[in-house]
Every structure is written in structure tokens, then in C-alpha cells.
Amino acid sequence: MKKLLLVCGMGLFALSIPAQSQTSVDTVMVPAQKDIKPLTLWPDDLLEYIGDYQLANGKTLYLTKQGSKLFGQIGQLPKHELFSTGLRKFDAKDGKLSVHIKYTWDGQITGKVAYIDSSRSTGAVPVFVEFASR
């Protein structure tokens, strides 16, 4: 009887080892950066976005057009060429500026900006800020 229990116990132990080794492996899923295909806008479509936007942190976002290209600049930081990634969404080709413009039901313009502030003494710092006004 003891041998039977010992054999059954050993069998269960042997079956549980592969099951444990399969579940003990830790995997980390890292999402790959998506290749964002830029949307094509007509040069006249860009005119809607040209202007100065006051940000909640006191800085100003300047959107300008040069030829058929849209550029964004925060205060005295470098200018970045922007491309459209969605409805009223623009990203810099170098990834250092992202702008999302929204229109409210009453015609007000709001939005969000994310940029890398390289002017700080502590080095490049990511900044996320909303529009204060246009």
C-alpha cells in the first residue's frame, strides 16, 4: 500500500513539474511603436491652424506655415516640422512636439500639447499642457 501511494505521489509530482515550469516563466509584452502614416492635407487646409495659442503654463505655441509645410514652436524653443496624424492632430517628425486641437460646441478652441523642453538646466524634460486660449 505504501508503495502504491509512493508511486502515485511520484507520478503527480512528475506531472506537476512541467506545468510549473510553463507557468513560472515571466513574459513582458512591450508594444512596438506603430508606424504612423501621415495624412495628406491641402496647403489651404493648414490655414485653419495657423496662429498663436496660449498654453496653461504661460508659454505660447506658434503654428506657422512655410510653403506647404506646418511648423510648431513653443516659445523660444526650436521649430519642428509637423505632420498630420489624425483629425486636428499633429506630430513633429523628430517626436519632440505633439499637438491636438479641439473645437468645443460653442466654437471655442481647446487642445493639448506635449513637447520636450530642452531649455531647462536639468536637461530635456517632457511637458504636457493644455491650451489656455487662442
Side-chain angles (χ1 to χ4, degrees), residues 52-78:
D52 303 349
Y53 299 85
Q54 295 301 313
L55 303 177
N57 64 356
K59 305 248 182 184
T60 302
L61 166 66
Y62 302 101
L63 292 181
T64 57
K65 180 178 165 251
Q66 293 178 352
S68 62
K69 295 179 181 180
L70 182 67
F71 288 86
Q73 182 178 10
I74 304 288
Q76 299 299 315
L77 294 176

Side-chain angles (χ1 to χ4, degrees), residues 16-65:
S16 68
I17 289 175
Q20 287 179 354
S21 66
Q22 288 176 356
T23 58
S24 66
V25 175
D26 292 330
T27 58
V28 176
M29 300 299 292
V30 178
Q33 184 173 353
K34 298 177 185 175
D35 287 333
I36 300 173
K37 190 174 185 180
L39 300 175
T40 304
L41 292 176
W42 293 100
D44 290 342
D45 292 340
L46 297 177
L47 295 175
E48 174 183 353
Y49 307 110
I50 303 305
D52 303 349
Y53 299 85
Q54 295 301 313
L55 303 177
N57 64 356
K59 305 248 182 184
T60 302
L61 166 66
Y62 302 101
L63 292 181
T64 57
K65 180 178 165 251

Side-chain angles (χ1 to χ4, degrees), residues 3 11 33 52 84 119:
K3 287 185 181 180
Q33 184 173 353
D52 303 349
S84 178
S119 68

